[in-house]
Amino acid sequence: MTTPEDVDVSTDPQIYGASELGVLSITAPGPAHPRVEYVGGELFVGLAEDGVVVTQGEAEDATVPFRAVLKDAVASVGPLPAPTDGVILIDDEAVAAGVLVEPERAAVTSLAGDPVLFALSRGAVAIVGADDEAGIGRVLDLAETLFDEGGALVSAHPVVLSDGAWAPFRWSERFPALGLRIERTLRLFSVRAYEAQSVALARPDVHLADPKIHVREDGVTLTFATWPNGTATLLPVVDNVMIADPRGSVSVATMQEFLAAAGDAVLRTGLSPLRYFVPGEAPR
């Protein structure tokens, strides 16, 4: 990692979610893992120098502490955009990282309540007032659009500015009327996180079950994944497990029912996002 004296190097902050870091712990473990600072909720900020991610190994060998270099990198980023219909939309990752690293940057904004930040993607970070239900609804619209576009997502879990720091925002409790939409967004982002994890975990001897979306007639959005009975499987955390018997029948169990019935035969892994290992034969 370079130091502030290395003026010919472009140092840019980057935003990470816990799910992406979980995948990177597989593809870039140990010293090759990005060096990041925790900023709140499930959000982290790291650095890239001339487009190359600063790793833990590089940061450990540096003479200047990583956080000092990070603070220097965000010191010159521009101001927040003005709100539009109560929502500040940031499409510049450096500006978004600046407000995450230095939360006081958000305290000067005129919003309906304490600032709530949604790091939906690296190119779409939204800030809205904690009392602005309509503004939260517009952020939910944006989250669904980003999912439909198919790009990488960061997090659907917002953080609120509290006592000078970012803390998890309990939006389901604050806005019960938005409950169905909030639960849908959380599930959409979970699906995308598991898809990215499957790419990193791909191997011939284990079935990687990705979650799928199902919308019931009453509007409730659920996730499900299929377990081919008898097949070694890494199973995501979903609402329902579809159990496919080799003879052609299919049965359904909730995740809780499936785990209870399997007992000690199913192992909880240390993966993030979380999966359970169901032992069995290699996929055919």
Side-chain angles (χ1 to χ4, degrees):
M1 185 178 71
T2 59
T3 67
E5 288 76 21
D6 297 308
V7 295
D8 58 334
V9 174
S10 173
T11 303
D12 303 302
Q14 291 189 320
I15 298 171
Y16 293 88
S19 293
E20 182 181 5
L21 290 176
V23 171
L24 288 169
S25 69
I26 301 168
T27 60
H33 195 71
R35 173 67 170 90
V36 295
E37 282 285 321
Y38 176 66
V39 292
E42 59 175 35
L43 299 176
F44 303 76
V45 175
L47 287 172
E49 293 183 337
D50 285 346
V52 179
V53 171
V54 174
T55 66
Q56 291 185 1
E58 291 167 337
E60 289 175 1
D61 293 337
T63 56
V64 178
F66 178 82
R67 184 162 182 82
V69 180
L70 178 60
K71 294 281 284 186
D72 184 71
V74 302
S76 60
V77 300
L80 294 179
T84 300
D85 294 330
V87 179
I88 298 172
L89 183 58
I90 309 169
D91 59 7
D92 185 323
E93 186 177 8
V95 173
V99 77
L100 282 168
V101 173
E102 298 177 346
E104 61 272 15
R105 290 172 180 254
V108 299
T109 59
S110 55
L111 299 172
D114 294 329
V116 175
L117 184 146
F118 292 80
L120 301 176
S121 73
R122 284 178 167 159
V125 174
I127 301 177
V128 63
D131 300 324
D132 188 353
E133 184 167 349
I136 296 289
R138 284 188 282 275
V139 174
L140 288 167
D141 291 339
L142 174 60
E144 184 136 1
T145 297
L146 291 170
F147 177 83
D148 290 340
E149 290 174 349
L153 303 174
V154 175
S155 174
H157 296 278
V159 289
V160 62
L161 186 58
S162 176
D163 295 327
W166 295 111
F169 180 60
R170 302 184 183 281
W171 55 332
S172 296
E173 297 176 9
R174 180 70 69 91
F175 303 110
L178 296 175
L180 287 180
R181 296 189 63 197
I182 292 172
E183 289 302 315
R184 174 174 172 79
T185 296
L186 293 175
R187 282 163 171 76
L188 293 178
F189 274 59
S190 173
V191 165
R192 185 58 45 77
Y194 276 118
E195 289 172 349
Q197 187 190 61
S198 284
V199 174
L201 290 171
R203 48 188 291 181
D205 58 337
V206 176
H207 171 62
L208 290 163
D210 277 340
K212 307 297 182 183
I213 291 292
H214 170 66
V215 182
R216 297 189 326 204
E217 292 183 358
D218 60 1
V220 173
T221 298
L222 300 174
T223 54
F224 70 92
T226 301
W227 173 54
N229 195 342
T231 301
T233 300
L234 280 170
L235 193 66
V237 177
V238 288
D239 296 301
N240 296 314
V241 179
M242 311 292 287
I243 305 168
D245 189 273
R247 292 167 293 187
S249 64
V250 176
S251 58
V252 182
T254 66
M255 190 77 189
Q256 292 75 16
E257 290 169 345
F258 181 84
L259 293 176
D264 293 339
V266 172
L267 304 176
R268 179 188 175 101
T269 72
L271 294 169
S272 176
L274 174 63
R275 286 184 190 255
Y276 288 87
F277 176 66
V278 186
E281 297 180 358
R284 297 177 181 178

